[in-house]
Amino acid sequence: MRRAALALLLAPLIALAAAAQPQSGFELMAPETQAMQRDDTANPGMLWVQEGEALWQQSGCAGCHGDAAASMRGAAARYPVYDEARAGPIDLAGRINQCRVERQGAPALALEGEPLLALGSFVAHQSRGLPVAPPADPRLAPARAQGEALFRERRGQLNLSCAQCHDDNAGRRLAGSPIPQGHPNGYPLYRLEWQGMGSLQRRLRNCMAGVRSEPFAYGAPEYIAIETFLMSRAAGLLLETPAVRP
Amino acid sequence: MARTLINLPRNPKRGEVIEIRTLIQHGMETGYRPGPNGVTQQRDIIRSFTCLFNNEEVFRAELHQAIAANPFLEFSMLVTESGILAFTWSGDNGFEQTETRALTVA
């Protein structure tokens, strides 16, 4: 009873704090799920990180990049970055495939396939604990603006925009589930609902299908624009890869 | 080979009860779900898990369809001596994997 009263008193304060600085979806999870993410021996995402480490050695990434703990630290915190060849932003998965095709002469890995998710989680895992630091590159501004426009654009049969849930109603509940602010600070992540690993693009497709709109295809520039915007929105949040989400 | 994560305390004392945690990468396909083509997918799950300590069984579990993918199992064991722990997961389609870990008493 006293606890409930305290929570009521604190609620507006928490809401104010949330508006001031981004809050990770981690904070809204059940204590059991949080414990699962915190403990590397219980976090199923670590299986993919392990797999990624093996792939890093096997597919010759280590030949140029050496020890990932040093060379890849911070990479996930700044991506998507501007890419000359694309004349636009490129995400981490896109960079891994670009590196394979152009420098290794190997075929690109299938988007959302297990090997790419594994490599992506291994690389992103090296930045765990670092704050999201989107680059101040002015060439990324158009993508950020496009991403923000998509974020605020109403979509689908339900005619909802991302912002209507994740800005206006974050912290409240949609049916039984808390609505997070929607920050991309733990991807690729292990989602209990998927019983597997997934990228930010898979999560975005989920939400798009949820409001009954047609999702873009994997790898579409729209997703990368949204990711560029979301990373600037999440600036300062600590990376959690591999995160666990319900 | 499926990836596994096994967590043991580093140097347990004799007579101590330790917690052992295991996690294995496995899809645990129930056999009830239709695939993308509408045809029910074949069951593919881990059926049993055993843990041997110096070839003596210390823990066994039967797994069923309702168990989530990438099953996580945690159990405890009384430490009496140093030895080798062997973890075996076996299941449908001839799935069988054994991992071993040395346990050293402090």
Side-chain angles (χ1 to χ4, degrees):
Chain A
M1 198 50 213
R2 193 184 293 164
R3 202 185 245 181
L6 189 68
L8 271 178
L9 276 173
L10 287 177
L13 286 176
I14 291 165
L16 271 176
Q21 65 186 62
Q23 177 204 41
S24 168
F26 178 84
E27 313 293 336
L28 300 172
M29 298 198 304
E32 296 81 4
T33 323
Q34 289 185 345
M36 193 183 204
Q37 176 178 324
R38 264 195 219 105
D39 181 351
D40 280 350
T41 57
N43 183 340
M46 290 308 286
L47 295 167
W48 274 261
V49 171
Q50 252 186 32
E51 181 79 39
E53 186 171 8
L55 281 171
W56 176 270
Q57 303 295 347
Q58 272 166 32
S59 46
C61 308
C64 293
H65 297 288
D67 183 11
S71 61
M72 292 294 125
R73 189 161 166 79
R78 30 170 217 279
Y79 270 72
V81 297
Y82 185 81
D83 179 54
E84 303 278 353
R86 281 199 186 182
I90 188 167
D91 61 345
L92 205 50
R95 178 68 88 202
I96 291 171
N97 266 339
Q98 190 191 54
C99 209
R100 278 180 66 87
V101 173
E102 285 174 15
R103 298 191 182 78
Q104 295 189 308
L109 295 170
L111 291 174
E112 213 58 27
E114 295 291 307
L116 188 57
L117 284 173
L119 258 181
S121 7
F122 173 66
V123 170
H125 178 62
Q126 309 307 319
S127 307
R128 183 162 73 168
L130 293 179
V132 172
D137 191 337
R139 292 172 300 179
L140 285 173
R144 244 171 231 153
Q146 187 201 357
E148 178 158 14
L150 285 164
F151 186 80
R152 305 204 183 283
E153 178 186 77
R154 285 169 174 265
R155 335 177 36 86
Q157 280 183 321
L158 300 192
N159 203 25
L160 282 169
S161 72
C162 313
Q164 282 175 301
C165 281
H166 297 289
D167 269 355
D168 303 348
N169 287 296
R172 297 177 69 190
R173 277 172 184 269
L174 180 65
S177 314
I179 306 173
Q181 292 178 10
H183 294 300
N185 61 323
Y187 287 91
L189 56 71
Y190 189 89
R191 196 161 173 228
L192 301 179
E193 186 185 309
W194 294 334
Q195 302 211 356
M197 210 69 174
S199 68
L200 175 63
Q201 295 192 8
R202 183 170 177 191
R203 190 68 193 84
L204 291 172
R205 288 170 68 88
N206 253 213
C207 258
M208 287 177 183
V211 298
R212 299 185 196 161
S213 74
E214 176 83 27
F216 303 106
Y218 277 118
E222 283 86 353
Y223 287 133
I224 300 170
I226 296 175
E227 184 176 353
T228 314
F229 167 67
L230 289 181
M231 285 297 268
S232 66
R233 186 169 163 269
L237 265 186
L238 302 186
L239 280 165
E240 296 170 15
T241 311
V244 176
R245 291 291 183 269
Chain B
M1 279 278 278
R3 298 271 157 199
T4 56
L5 286 170
I6 296 168
N7 184 36
L8 300 170
R10 229 164 255 147
N11 284 308
K13 291 187 191 71
R14 197 178 302 272
E16 190 181 332
V17 176
I18 59 166
E19 297 222 311
I20 301 173
R21 297 140 157 235
T22 67
L23 183 65
I24 186 167
Q25 193 166 29
H26 195 286
M28 297 293 278
E29 187 56 56
T30 58
Y32 300 131
R33 288 198 313 164
N37 56 0
V39 177
T40 309
Q41 295 177 47
Q42 275 229 313
R43 192 187 74 182
D44 181 11
I45 61 169
I46 295 176
R47 297 299 308 277
S48 83
F49 168 79
T50 52
C51 173
L52 304 183
F53 180 62
N54 290 339
N55 285 325
E56 191 190 333
E57 188 174 297
V58 290
F59 181 79
R60 169 192 290 275
E62 277 177 28
L63 286 82
H64 299 275
Q65 281 102 323
I67 292 172
N70 310 311
F72 172 80
L73 292 169
E74 181 174 356
F75 54 94
S76 48
M77 182 186 114
L78 175 67
V79 181
T80 50
E81 54 181 341
S82 297
I84 304 287
L85 282 159
F87 305 89
T88 305
W89 293 262
S90 56
D92 297 338
N93 302 323
F95 182 85
E96 170 127 357
Q97 184 163 346
T98 303
E99 296 283 326
T100 53
R101 294 285 186 277
L103 186 74
T104 319
V105 173

